[in-house]
Amino acid sequence: MSKSLPTRSENYSEWYNELVKRANLAENSAVRGCMVIKPYGYTIWENMQRALDDMFKATGHTNAYFPLFIPKSYLSKEASHVEGFAKECAVVTHYRLKNAPDGSGVTVDPAAKLEEELIVRPTSETVIWSTYKNWIQSYRDLPLLINQWANVVRWEMRTRLFLRTAEFLWQEGHTAHATPAEAIAETEQMLEVYATFAEEWMALPVLKGIKTPNERFAGAVETYCIEALMQDGKALQAGTSHFLGQNFAKAFEVTFQNKEGKLEHVWGTSWGVSTRLMGALIMGHSDDQGLVLPPKLAPIQVVIVPIFRNEEQLDQLTEQIKPLISDLRAKGIRVKYDSSDANKPGWKFAEYELQGVPVRLGMGMRDLENNTAEIARRDTQTKETRSREGIVTHILDLLDEIQRNLFTKALNFREANTHRVDSYEDFKEKLETQGGFLLAHWDGTTETEEKIKEETKATIRCIPLDAQEEEGVCIYSGKPSSRRVVFARAY
Amino acid sequence: MSKSLPTRSENYSEWYNELVKRANLAENSAVRGCMVIKPYGYTIWENMQRALDDMFKATGHTNAYFPLFIPKSYLSKEASHVEGFAKECAVVTHYRLKNAPDGSGVTVDPAAKLEEELIVRPTSETVIWSTYKNWIQSYRDLPLLINQWANVVRWEMRTRLFLRTAEFLWQEGHTAHATPAEAIAETEQMLEVYATFAEEWMALPVLKGIKTPNERFAGAVETYCIEALMQDGKALQAGTSHFLGQNFAKAFEVTFQNKEGKLEHVWGTSWGVSTRLMGALIMGHSDDQGLVLPPKLAPIQVVIVPIFRNEEQLDQLTEQIKPLISDLRAKGIRVKYDSSDANKPGWKFAEYELQGVPVRLGMGMRDLENNTAEIARRDTQTKETRSREGIVTHILDLLDEIQRNLFTKALNFREANTHRVDSYEDFKEKLETQGGFLLAHWDGTTETEEKIKEETKATIRCIPLDAQEEEGVCIYSGKPSSRRVVFARAY
């Protein structure tokens, strides 16, 4: 740690970029728009994966794997789908290199041109539904509840680590059902899973809602989403769950014989979250000193730093600390013991603060005498010296408390930054001065939605699932509206 | 299950292909050479991944993620590496599609041509070492012990499910060290991890050895491998671990300051296993009735099938079976209870036999009276009726015994099919009539190795690590040789 981070108030965007790099989460690679996820960042992602995967399995899903490549003609089969993805996809045209005639290395071999170009998957509906065609014949084959963990590529022109990268990691669930009601129930169930994960694991409160037609997934009948609020007052879409109707079933002729023996098209859903969640996690809680991680996802939950002058003191401290480490690990706590003498304790404290380790234990010679330890909380940046009697239980409670506190803090922030606005003037003023979620009446037209976006960069994040009926008039057009929707500028 | 599998003796290759499909492990996709790994197959792969990942972490490695794409110029930086991979790689040349002028769908947009083509990674040494350059400055940054789970693409012309596919899943470890001794120790340690995994989890005995220069990984100084023997007498390379020397460090200028303050190039290793292991697992143990899975990797370890005539009988059976399921699950056993009435017990028995479920429990009304159950073993195809007293313990023991038995059986098979041969005539005759591992003297030249391969399709699988010094003469050239190497035809 050479110098301190830019502060959030100075430059939020720089603060984020620097934090991602300095906390060893990710960095840009030599390939435009593609990131390297570094070990510390990847461990957080693994913790997220594990929790989500358990939730998917608990709701009856299994994992499978489908090809990276999609034949160009497949992408075209669902009209709005190709419209949505064709403009930003990586295209494989050749399958061999050969030595360059001028000896300057290798060059594409023109003799090895593919008959049909392959698209690196931007999402897998097309390749998966073309497979489901062979897997589904009868109502007995339904529902089909499959998820895949994979990399996908969307050729974004302006990229930011985690938030928007050309290649990213994600999971994509793809399910097939006999009735629209079942498919809609699945779509809603998975939205609920995402919301639970965001709130209970990431400690981020989210709004649940549906997207306007304009913001819908390309090929969906309805897109549900969860939206989180970042500390700079911008929204971040943290997960989506799509009811696909029979669109892909029709495009790929996926039919089943129902109980009455009649052929019908299958009803579909798809749902996904990605490494974008890492961006949400970082921006949701961190501060000017560095990362703040919810204990449930932190790679290191407790770091123990011995404070010593010489080898002998270290040995004495280690002797006392070792059983404590065992006890913590026996409770399932991820503990790191940093006894290296390459760096001073103060340097280490700053480093683990930057890395967002929820609890830090310091122990020096006086603690040895007094049977105490210094416990520091990352979230509140408070510390206290306490007896080592019952310290394991105390730490377990503390980790729970930190998890809860982060959620409460984020919820309070969101509440303080959610405003009902009733005029376009107020809307624009709030957007400029503080951002946040703006609850406003809208006339339901794409035209108005796009005008507002053009003029203010704010988009409709969602129509909240719990929105109350309320008579009002559109802030832009003055036309009647029966409920408020959520506007915000967004990542 | 409409008709029975082809038998292994009739047509081993067809037996394999059909088994992979009928047991719902994988199938070919619409994309040439790329497979779909189906849920049942993928669950086995997940079990493998979990076990391997735990072993990697226990030996100090962490996971990270590097880009899918490699700039063409990177691939060229290590001379023998590009030579090895350029001829079979997928090349991305464009980043956008547009509507075809004739309205026939979408076409590559010529205006969106990449300045430099990108290669879909066939392996990641180049992109990783270009990153390590920035991560390593001092001996304090070493060793760097990183693994990645990823998909890779090698444009194979002749593909077979799991054994050879254009896209496959794997893990690739990439480590950097301060000394050649440390790097070699790492290479050997990871070979040991692979051998332990193959033997203890997959129940497949493996030979550990080093590859001849001719069979070495493109860019390595030394390639270590584990080799397994399939039931048709062909060998299968099940994992490789490479000592890279300073080759990639030099190609990407990765240096570090040693303790004396002098700049040196870093020493590297890489090691990997892939979904090819699925092929080894299937071919290593399965029989003419279907899959045979080692319990440690089986998605379902115990299946329970109630035998009933009506709803009431099913209810009575279920009441007795439910606590048994709980007890087994409490012991960590993966249990399936198949009480569906869509299929008859006989059909179910055949289906779970095909799927290789290690232990099957059948329970009918008489078992209810007698407090018994019928237990069938998949590996020996034997069954017995026993009291339900102590049945959980019995099942736990049985799963262990099946795991051991599969290993012993495979080991006996390998021993029966390993031959010392001392003449080229004998060599050719053994190859034709029974295959297997042939231990023979070889003069150490690539010329002889390639002549033998040309004439017999047998390759040198490895020079075993435990090969004894033994004076002899090369079976082909008659030149002197000081140890036997292992020949075989191979997958």
Side-chain angles (χ1 to χ4, degrees):
Chain A
M1 264 224 347
S2 39
K3 63 188 183 91
S4 54
L5 283 172
T7 66
R8 287 164 292 173
S9 57
E10 266 169 30
N11 189 335
Y12 193 82
S13 165
E14 261 312 292
W15 166 81
Y16 175 79
N17 295 342
E18 277 297 303
L19 178 54
V20 169
K21 282 178 215 166
R22 292 210 208 163
N24 282 322
L25 301 175
E27 65 183 38
N28 290 308
S29 78
V31 183
R32 206 200 60 80
C34 293
M35 63 180 161
V36 172
I37 306 179
K38 301 180 79 172
Y40 192 66
Y42 197 82
T43 304
I44 301 174
W45 176 242
E46 283 183 303
N47 292 343
M48 288 187 175
Q49 281 190 298
R50 185 67 64 100
L52 283 164
D53 199 65
D54 286 347
M55 292 168 92
F56 299 157
K57 284 173 178 159
T59 43
H61 303 84
T62 54
N63 291 326
Y65 188 76
F66 296 86
L68 172 67
F69 298 130
I70 297 177
K72 193 188 66 182
S73 58
Y74 278 43
L75 204 65
S76 317
K77 287 206 178 175
E78 212 288 330
S80 60
H81 191 70
V82 66
E83 187 64 28
F85 290 105
K87 284 175 208 132
E88 46 174 39
C89 60
V91 188
V92 176
T93 56
H94 292 75
Y95 58 85
R96 191 164 63 222
L97 297 173
K98 62 170 193 173
N99 292 324
D102 63 359
S104 68
V106 282
T107 185
V108 173
D109 184 347
K113 190 170 187 304
L114 291 171
E115 268 184 54
E116 179 179 8
E117 295 89 351
L118 297 173
I119 311 307
V120 181
R121 64 181 162 219
T123 180
S124 301
E125 278 77 5
T126 57
V127 73
I128 288 180
W129 280 88
S130 78
T131 308
Y132 281 2
K133 179 181 170 55
N134 303 317
W135 292 2
I136 299 169
Q137 270 87 42
S138 146
Y139 69 91
R140 284 188 212 91
D141 302 321
L142 298 172
L144 191 57
L145 305 173
I146 292 180
N147 175 62
Q148 117 168 324
W149 290 94
N151 53 346
V152 286
V153 171
R154 298 178 187 176
W155 208 265
E156 303 280 358
M157 278 303 157
R158 301 175 63 181
T159 62
R160 288 191 70 187
L161 290 167
F162 291 124
L163 297 171
R164 196 171 292 279
T165 49
E167 181 192 18
F168 56 91
L169 304 183
W170 79 344
Q171 60 67 221
E172 45 181 327
H174 296 272
T175 71
H177 307 264
T179 65
E182 265 186 43
I184 290 169
E186 166 79 7
T187 314
E188 290 175 350
Q189 172 186 252
M190 298 323 289
L191 187 79
E192 207 51 58
V193 163
Y194 289 157
T196 303
F197 174 75
E199 302 201 333
E200 293 183 4
W201 290 79
M202 297 175 66
L204 273 185
V206 289
L207 292 183
K208 292 176 281 190
I210 61 173
K211 288 287 185 195
T212 62
N214 199 39
E215 298 272 339
R216 216 173 257 159
F217 175 73
V221 170
E222 196 82 275
T223 288
Y224 294 66
C225 63
I226 52 170
E227 297 280 330
L229 190 62
M230 301 294 100
Q231 293 178 67
D232 61 347
K234 283 170 80 174
L236 189 145
Q237 175 181 299
T240 49
S241 184
H242 315 293
F243 170 54
L244 303 175
Q246 295 174 311
N247 290 350
F248 287 91
K250 285 182 177 164
F252 290 91
E253 293 165 49
V254 186
T255 56
F256 73 103
Q257 200 160 40
N258 67 18
K259 283 186 186 165
E260 290 74 42
K262 234 187 85 191
L263 268 193
E264 283 187 63
H265 281 105
V266 169
W267 300 83
T269 85
S270 67
W271 28 274
V273 296
S274 73
T275 35
R276 200 157 206 251
L277 287 181
M278 292 287 294
L281 186 73
I282 297 160
M283 288 201 296
H285 303 299
S286 302
D287 63 24
D288 296 343
Q289 278 67 50
L291 271 187
V292 176
L293 294 175
K296 284 192 183 179
L297 295 174
I300 305 164
Q301 296 172 309
V302 177
V303 63
I304 305 179
V305 178
I307 297 149
F308 57 96
R309 292 246 165 85
N310 52 47
E311 221 30 54
E312 195 194 331
Q313 290 188 349
L314 175 60
D315 288 346
Q316 288 177 47
L317 286 163
T318 301
E319 200 188 306
Q320 295 283 313
I321 291 169
K322 270 198 167 167
L324 176 58
I325 294 174
S326 305
D327 290 350
L328 287 167
R329 289 201 175 135
K331 297 285 183 187
I333 304 301
R334 298 184 284 271
V335 185
K336 178 172 176 176
Y337 181 43
D338 185 350
S339 61
S340 85
D341 58 4
N343 300 297
K344 296 230 154 69
W347 188 94
K348 291 179 188 176
F349 290 179
E351 187 60 26
Y352 293 114
E353 193 171 48
L354 177 65
Q355 289 183 26
V357 177
V359 171
R360 186 187 76 219
L361 241 73
M363 269 179 65
M365 297 315 285
R366 191 175 303 162
D367 292 305
L368 219 54
E369 278 169 37
N370 302 341
N371 195 34
T372 54
E374 185 191 74
I375 302 188
R377 276 175 73 155
R378 177 64 184 90
D379 61 335
T380 53
Q381 291 186 292
T382 51
K383 51 191 182 185
E384 58 162 347
T385 296
R386 25 181 321 141
S387 161
R388 292 212 302 282
E389 281 305 318
I391 202 162
V392 170
T393 312
H394 177 69
I395 290 172
L396 286 170
D397 291 345
L398 194 54
L399 289 170
D400 283 347
E401 192 183 319
I402 294 171
Q403 183 81 29
R404 274 196 309 274
N405 178 50
L406 288 179
F407 178 78
T408 306
K409 206 172 145 192
L411 185 62
N412 290 342
F413 176 82
R414 187 184 79 181
E415 283 176 1
N417 288 277
T418 299
H419 305 286
R420 296 162 68 92
V421 293
D422 292 307
S423 76
Y424 195 44
E425 284 317 300
D426 191 19
F427 181 91
K428 287 190 285 190
E429 197 253 319
K430 283 272 189 320
L431 262 187
E432 280 311 319
T433 56
Q434 49 191 125
F437 284 141
L438 302 182
L439 307 181
H441 280 283
W442 162 61
D443 63 19
T445 69
T446 298
E447 199 194 339
T448 295
E449 187 182 2
E450 293 204 319
K451 285 249 168 75
I452 293 176
K453 184 177 176 182
E454 234 176 79
E455 293 173 17
T456 67
K457 290 184 188 144
T459 50
I460 301 179
R461 302 317 303 154
C462 69
I463 305 161
L465 291 187
D466 61 2
Q468 306 292 316
E469 292 281 318
E470 180 195 298
E471 293 308 311
V473 294
C474 172
I475 51 162
Y476 192 83
S477 68
K479 288 182 192 158
S481 148
S482 59
R483 68 172 58 78
R484 289 173 188 267
V485 298
V486 180
F487 283 90
R489 287 182 182 153
Y491 279 96
Chain B
M1 261 218 357
S2 39
K3 61 189 186 84
S4 54
L5 284 172
T7 66
R8 288 163 294 173
S9 57
E10 268 169 31
N11 189 336
Y12 192 83
S13 166
E14 261 313 293
W15 165 81
Y16 175 80
N17 294 343
E18 277 297 303
L19 179 53
V20 169
K21 281 176 215 167
R22 292 211 209 161
N24 282 323
L25 301 175
E27 64 183 39
N28 289 309
S29 78
V31 184
R32 207 200 60 81
C34 293
M35 64 181 159
V36 172
I37 307 180
K38 300 179 79 173
Y40 192 66
Y42 197 83
T43 305
I44 301 174
W45 176 242
E46 284 183 303
N47 292 342
M48 289 187 173
Q49 281 188 300
R50 185 68 64 100
L52 283 164
D53 199 66
D54 286 348
M55 293 169 91
F56 299 157
K57 283 174 178 159
T59 44
H61 303 84
T62 54
N63 291 326
Y65 189 76
F66 296 86
L68 172 66
F69 298 129
I70 297 176
K72 194 189 65 181
S73 57
Y74 278 42
L75 203 65
S76 316
K77 287 207 178 175
E78 210 289 332
S80 60
H81 190 71
V82 67
E83 188 64 29
F85 290 104
K87 283 176 208 128
E88 48 174 40
C89 59
V91 189
V92 176
T93 57
H94 293 74
Y95 58 84
R96 191 165 62 223
L97 298 173
K98 61 169 194 175
N99 292 325
D102 63 359
S104 68
V106 283
T107 187
V108 173
D109 184 347
K113 190 171 187 304
L114 291 170
E115 267 184 54
E116 180 179 6
E117 294 88 352
L118 297 173
I119 312 306
V120 181
R121 63 182 162 218
T123 180
S124 301
E125 278 77 6
T126 56
V127 72
I128 288 180
W129 281 88
S130 78
T131 308
Y132 282 1
K133 181 180 168 56
N134 303 317
W135 292 3
I136 300 169
Q137 270 89 42
S138 144
Y139 68 92
R140 284 188 211 92
D141 302 319
L142 298 173
L144 191 57
L145 305 172
I146 291 180
N147 175 62
Q148 113 169 328
W149 290 94
N151 53 345
V152 286
V153 172
R154 296 178 188 177
W155 207 265
E156 302 280 357
M157 278 303 159
R158 300 175 63 181
T159 61
R160 288 192 69 190
L161 290 167
F162 290 125
L163 298 170
R164 198 171 290 279
T165 48
E167 181 192 16
F168 56 91
L169 305 184
W170 80 344
Q171 61 66 219
E172 46 182 326
H174 295 272
T175 70
H177 306 264
T179 67
E182 265 185 45
I184 291 168
E186 165 79 6
T187 314
E188 291 174 348
Q189 171 186 255
M190 298 324 289
L191 188 80
E192 207 53 58
V193 163
Y194 289 156
T196 303
F197 174 74
E199 304 200 332
E200 294 185 3
W201 289 79
M202 297 175 66
L204 274 185
V206 290
L207 292 183
K208 291 176 280 191
I210 61 172
K211 288 287 183 195
T212 61
N214 198 39
E215 299 272 339
R216 214 174 260 158
F217 174 73
V221 170
E222 197 83 274
T223 288
Y224 293 66
C225 62
I226 52 170
E227 297 280 330
L229 190 62
M230 301 295 99
Q231 292 179 66
D232 62 346
K234 283 170 80 175
L236 189 146
Q237 174 181 299
T240 49
S241 184
H242 315 293
F243 170 54
L244 303 175
Q246 295 173 311
N247 290 350
F248 287 92
K250 283 181 177 163
F252 290 91
E253 296 166 49
V254 186
T255 56
F256 73 104
Q257 200 160 41
N258 66 18
K259 284 186 185 167
E260 290 75 43
K262 235 187 83 191
L263 268 193
E264 283 188 64
H265 282 104
V266 168
W267 299 84
T269 85
S270 66
W271 29 275
V273 296
S274 73
T275 35
R276 204 159 201 247
L277 287 181
M278 291 288 294
L281 185 74
I282 297 159
M283 288 202 294
H285 304 299
S286 302
D287 62 24
D288 296 343
Q289 278 67 52
L291 271 188
V292 176
L293 293 175
K296 283 191 183 178
L297 294 174
I300 305 165
Q301 295 173 310
V302 176
V303 64
I304 305 180
V305 179
I307 298 150
F308 58 95
R309 293 243 165 87
N310 52 47
E311 225 23 60
E312 195 194 332
Q313 290 189 350
L314 176 60
D315 288 347
Q316 288 176 47
L317 286 163
T318 302
E319 199 188 308
Q320 295 283 312
I321 291 169
K322 270 200 167 167
L324 176 58
I325 294 175
S326 304
D327 289 352
L328 287 166
R329 289 201 175 135
K331 297 286 184 186
I333 303 301
R334 297 183 284 271
V335 185
K336 178 173 176 175
Y337 181 43
D338 185 349
S339 61
S340 85
D341 58 3
N343 300 296
K344 295 229 152 68
W347 188 95
K348 291 179 188 175
F349 290 180
E351 186 61 25
Y352 294 115
E353 193 171 48
L354 177 66
Q355 290 183 25
V357 178
V359 171
R360 186 187 75 220
L361 241 72
M363 269 179 65
M365 297 315 286
R366 192 175 304 162
D367 292 305
L368 220 52
E369 277 168 37
N370 302 341
N371 196 33
T372 54
E374 185 191 73
I375 302 189
R377 275 176 73 157
R378 177 62 185 93
D379 60 336
T380 54
Q381 292 186 291
T382 51
K383 51 191 180 184
E384 59 162 344
T385 295
R386 27 181 320 141
S387 161
R388 292 212 303 280
E389 279 306 315
I391 201 162
V392 170
T393 312
H394 176 69
I395 291 173
L396 288 170
D397 291 345
L398 194 55
L399 290 170
D400 283 347
E401 194 185 317
I402 295 172
Q403 182 82 27
R404 275 195 311 275
N405 178 50
L406 288 179
F407 179 79
T408 307
K409 206 172 147 193
L411 185 61
N412 290 343
F413 175 83
R414 186 183 78 181
E415 283 176 1
N417 289 278
T418 299
H419 305 285
R420 296 163 68 92
V421 293
D422 292 309
S423 76
Y424 195 43
E425 285 316 301
D426 192 18
F427 180 92
K428 287 189 286 191
E429 197 253 320
K430 283 273 191 319
L431 259 188
E432 281 310 320
T433 56
Q434 51 190 124
F437 284 141
L438 302 182
L439 307 180
H441 280 284
W442 162 62
D443 64 17
T445 69
T446 298
E447 200 194 340
T448 295
E449 187 181 3
E450 292 204 319
K451 285 249 169 76
I452 293 176
K453 182 177 176 182
E454 235 175 79
E455 293 173 17
T456 69
K457 290 185 188 144
T459 50
I460 301 178
R461 302 318 303 156
C462 69
I463 305 162
L465 291 186
D466 61 2
Q468 306 292 314
E469 292 279 319
E470 179 196 297
E471 292 308 312
V473 295
C474 172
I475 51 162
Y476 192 84
S477 67
K479 288 182 191 158
S481 149
S482 60
R483 68 172 58 78
R484 289 175 188 267
V485 299
V486 180
F487 283 90
R489 286 182 184 155
Y491 280 96

